[in-house]
């Protein structure tokens, strides 16, 4: 169907795709013959899939748009991964034929035999993300020089973990000092930092980017939703929200929308961004509980009741209208518990196959962002200046004291003073309040602390 429009507003066919591209080009002031340049910075699973989705949708319009991805050079592919990659290639006839046509198959044979070393940027050009080997993508244009990648980009996609965002965008700012046009930045990062001085507050990736580069906040947006990167690329139906200024979020939502990937827009950028980081915290604990109880449905439901009550309590501290976030937060939490890397990490900890001493960057999975989020949320909510009334003891306590699961995760993952199995003690504590009471307390008291998100 050429140029047809469906009820969700998505246009299909060659004409619809080109029309959406032309509309965005006009908004960005691109003249005929002047390429719209899009670059994804960071090549984790979601950053790579996002670039591949754009390449699949718009890459054929090469006279109007250029889509590239940046990743650091020098990362080698170990022998076991090369062997697994070879199996994946040979199991997919379409991928096998493509590599043979591109004269790229032989290097994978040599790597399988141990006669050659492959590099992450090299295989990404052929459509293989090191953190997602089993889901081949389309071939991508890969750049390993950061300055070359970003200096004249019109749209920059932040596909970096939140823990690396500030450092990389500090470097990018050096290359943008003499820019005349202001780029648009879409951040995919889910995570936060805590700033405790002079007042406790959350710092999100979009705030890090704006602070580092001087790009005005209206040009920095966040995109997130309940999704798994590999499933989106395999065209499982998914949705997401792009949050930010009205000037950019609506046209970008239209540009990014595809038949299987519906993108809505919302003005509440920072709160959605923080919620994306919050669910990663509790996903790690869910993975631990699942492994320790041998996937007991009862134990997992008990954990879910307690963790959702803590998340609801925390959202009441962060926003004046927390009920608006209930659906998106629970949906994002649900998919992360089912198949996300943070839940997987919790399972591996509980089984003893990983330990906190191994760090938060895990081979084949990338950055486990929930670890740093545990530290940031606990340290932030432990500040006396944020104290709330304890429901039973008639005294002021830091909010973290009313979040026993968050407190236990902090002692396991950050302080490393308790084993993973101790998460079960948080569920079996006879002194623990009914999770319903925590929700009622949050709803019946004026807990909102606008300063946490940097608001007056």
């Amino acid at each position: 169907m050429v140029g047809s429009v469906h009820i969700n507003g998505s246009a299909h066919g060659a004409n619809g795709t080109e029309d959406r591209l032309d509309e965005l080009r006009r908004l960005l002031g691109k003249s005929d013959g002047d390429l719209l340049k899009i670059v994804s910075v960071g090549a984790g699973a979601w950053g790579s899939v996002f670039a591949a989705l754009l390449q699949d949708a718009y890459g054929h319009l090469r006279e109007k748009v250029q889509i590239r991805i940046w990743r650091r050079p020098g990362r080698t592919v170990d022998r076991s991964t090369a062997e697994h990659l070879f199996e994946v290639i040979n199991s997919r006839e379409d991928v096998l034929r493509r590599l043979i046509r591109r004269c790229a198959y032989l290097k994978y044979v040599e790597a399988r035999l141990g006669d050659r070393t492959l590099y992450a940027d090299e295989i990404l050009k052929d459509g293989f993300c090191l953190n997602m080997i089993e889901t081949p993508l389309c071939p991508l244009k890969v750049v390993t020089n950061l300055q070359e990648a970003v200096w004249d980009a019109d749209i920059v996609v932040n596909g970096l973990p939140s823990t690396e965002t500030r450092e990389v965008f500090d470097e990018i700012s050096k290359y943008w000092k003499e820019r005349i046009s202001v780029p648009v930045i879409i951040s995919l990062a889910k995570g936060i930092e805590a700033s405790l001085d002079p007042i406790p507050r959350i710092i999100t990736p979009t705030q890090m980017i704006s602070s580092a580069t001087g790009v005005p906040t209206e040009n920095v947006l966040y995109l997130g939703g309940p999704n798994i990167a590999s499933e989106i690329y395999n065209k499982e139906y998914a949705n997401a929200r792009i949050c930010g200024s009205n000037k950019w979020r609506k046209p970008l939502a239209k540009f990014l929308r595809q038949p299987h990937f519906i993108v809505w827009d919302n003005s509440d950028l920072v709160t959605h961004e923080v919620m994306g980081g919050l669910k990663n915290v509790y996903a790690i604990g869910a993975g631990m509980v699942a492994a320790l109880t041998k996937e007991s449905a009862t134990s997992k439901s008990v954990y879910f009741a307690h963790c959702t009550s803590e998340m609801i309590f925390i959202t009441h501290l962060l926003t004046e209208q927390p009920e608006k976030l209930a659906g998106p937060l629970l949906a994002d939490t649900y998919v992360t518990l089912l198949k996300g890397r943070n839940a997987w990490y919790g399972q591996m900890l509980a089984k003893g196959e990983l330990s906190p001493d191994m760090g938060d960057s895990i081979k084949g999975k990338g950055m486990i962002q929930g670890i740093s989020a545990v530290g940031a949320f606990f340290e932030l909510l432990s500040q006396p200046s944020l104290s709330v009334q304890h429901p039973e003891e008639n005294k002021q306590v830091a909010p973290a004291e009313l979040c026993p699961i968050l407190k236990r995760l902090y002692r396991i993952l950050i302080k490393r003073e308790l084993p993973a199995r101790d998460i079960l003690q948080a569920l079996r504590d006879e002194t623990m309040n009914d999770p319903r009471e925590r929700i009622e307390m949050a709803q019946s008291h004026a807990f909102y602390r606008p300063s946490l998100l940097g608001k007056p």
Side-chain angles (χ1 to χ4, degrees):
M1 295 179 296
V2 178
S4 62
V5 178
H6 287 231
I7 56 173
N8 61 19
S10 58
H12 302 289
N15 290 350
T17 298
E18 191 164 2
D19 288 345
R20 283 182 289 161
L21 176 59
D22 287 342
E23 187 176 334
L24 188 61
R25 283 173 52 84
R26 282 193 295 272
L27 193 60
L28 285 160
K30 309 301 290 187
S31 57
D32 290 345
D34 187 10
L35 282 175
L36 171 64
K37 296 182 178 180
I38 302 173
V39 64
S40 181
V41 175
W46 190 203
S48 298
V49 163
F50 197 83
L53 289 174
L54 292 176
Q55 180 64 31
D56 282 339
Y58 298 102
H60 64 286
L61 300 168
R62 57 180 60 91
E63 293 181 358
K64 294 186 175 184
V65 65
Q66 176 192 72
I67 300 157
R68 301 190 295 174
I69 185 168
W70 171 84
R71 72 154 295 137
R72 295 180 179 89
R75 174 77 179 273
T76 59
V77 179
D78 62 41
R79 176 77 180 273
S80 63
T81 304
E83 290 173 353
H84 182 43
L85 179 54
F86 188 70
E87 293 174 2
V88 171
I89 291 169
N90 286 304
S91 70
R92 290 276 301 266
E93 182 178 339
D94 57 331
V95 176
L96 182 59
R97 288 183 179 279
R98 186 184 79 201
L99 292 173
I100 291 172
R101 280 199 309 270
R102 291 163 60 94
C103 300
Y105 180 65
L106 183 59
K107 66 186 177 189
Y108 294 99
V109 177
E110 293 172 341
R112 164 66 181 82
L113 297 172
D115 296 336
R116 173 177 179 150
T117 299
L118 293 172
Y119 290 89
D121 57 286
E122 177 185 16
I123 67 172
L124 188 59
K125 292 176 183 177
D126 293 324
F128 302 108
C129 169
L130 192 57
N131 294 342
M132 201 176 55
I133 291 296
E134 294 183 354
T135 304
L137 310 174
C138 63
L140 294 169
K141 297 180 178 70
V142 180
V143 184
T144 55
N145 182 294
L146 185 59
Q147 181 175 6
E148 178 189 346
V150 303
W151 76 275
D152 62 346
D154 300 295
I155 298 175
V156 176
V157 178
N158 175 34
L160 297 161
S162 59
T163 48
E164 297 177 17
T165 294
R166 186 189 302 277
E167 176 188 351
V168 173
F169 277 86
D170 274 339
E171 186 176 348
I172 288 174
S173 69
K174 300 173 186 175
Y175 312 135
W176 284 352
K177 286 182 178 177
E178 297 181 12
R179 277 193 70 133
I180 298 174
S181 61
V182 180
V184 174
I185 300 170
I186 304 170
S187 179
L188 310 178
K190 294 181 177 180
I192 68 160
E193 287 183 0
S195 174
L196 305 180
D197 187 45
I199 57 172
R201 71 183 184 94
I202 289 170
I203 301 176
T204 66
T206 59
Q207 291 170 336
M208 297 176 203
I209 291 168
S210 185
S211 173
T213 61
V215 172
T217 54
E218 77 163 8
N219 278 46
V220 186
L221 301 97
Y222 165 73
L223 184 138
N227 44 59
I228 301 295
S230 60
E231 294 183 350
I232 291 177
Y233 194 73
N234 288 331
K235 292 184 166 46
E236 297 287 343
Y237 179 83
N239 58 65
R241 283 178 178 80
I242 188 162
C243 305
S245 67
N246 188 60
K247 177 181 179 181
W248 293 113
R249 71 175 192 268
K250 291 184 180 296
L252 284 170
K254 187 175 181 180
F255 177 72
L256 297 172
R257 188 178 296 137
Q258 297 186 24
H260 66 285
F261 184 56
I262 307 307
V263 181
W264 298 311
D265 67 274
N266 191 283
S267 62
D268 193 351
L269 184 155
V270 173
T271 311
H272 278 83
E273 200 175 6
V274 172
M275 295 303 104
L278 181 61
K279 54 88 182 177
N280 286 335
V281 168
Y282 292 96
I284 296 178
M288 292 177 183
V289 171
L292 290 166
T293 63
K294 298 181 180 179
E295 299 290 340
S296 161
T298 301
S299 295
K300 289 193 289 186
S301 67
V302 170
Y303 176 83
F304 191 72
H306 283 291
C307 82
T308 50
S309 74
E310 288 191 19
M311 287 193 288
I312 291 169
F313 174 74
I314 293 170
T315 59
H316 277 76
L317 290 166
L318 297 174
T319 179
E320 204 166 12
Q321 297 178 309
E323 61 280 355
K324 291 184 176 181
L325 295 168
L329 176 58
L330 287 178
D332 210 353
T333 303
Y334 181 64
V335 75
T336 305
L337 301 192
L338 286 176
K339 204 173 178 180
R341 75 181 74 176
N342 289 279
W344 170 88
Y345 176 77
Q347 289 182 324
M348 294 301 104
L349 282 183
K351 292 176 180 178
E353 296 180 28
L354 294 175
S355 75
D357 295 333
M358 297 170 70
D360 53 8
S361 182
I362 306 299
K363 174 189 168 185
K365 289 290 182 179
M367 189 66 67
I368 308 299
Q369 300 196 82
I371 300 173
S372 63
V374 167
F377 274 109
F378 182 82
E379 288 164 12
L380 192 72
L381 299 179
S382 296
Q383 299 305 302
S385 61
L386 299 174
S387 291
V388 297
Q389 187 73 19
H390 193 284
E392 294 178 349
E393 299 180 11
N394 195 28
K395 65 177 183 180
Q396 294 284 306
V397 295
E401 293 301 314
L402 299 176
C403 299
I405 292 176
L406 175 62
K407 188 175 181 179
R408 194 75 55 146
L409 286 170
Y410 181 79
R411 295 181 67 189
I412 294 170
L413 297 171
I414 307 302
K415 302 296 287 186
R416 301 177 187 174
E417 60 189 24
L418 296 175
R421 66 177 178 274
D422 206 73
I423 190 69
L424 295 179
Q425 294 305 118
L427 305 183
R428 296 168 179 168
D429 185 350
E430 293 181 3
T431 64
M432 179 179 280
N433 293 332
D434 183 335
R436 176 184 58 82
E437 294 176 5
R438 186 180 294 107
I439 295 172
E440 287 180 350
M441 179 177 62
Q443 292 173 339
S444 62
H445 293 71
F447 280 161
Y448 177 44
R449 301 288 191 275
S451 60
L452 278 172
L453 297 184
K455 298 177 182 178

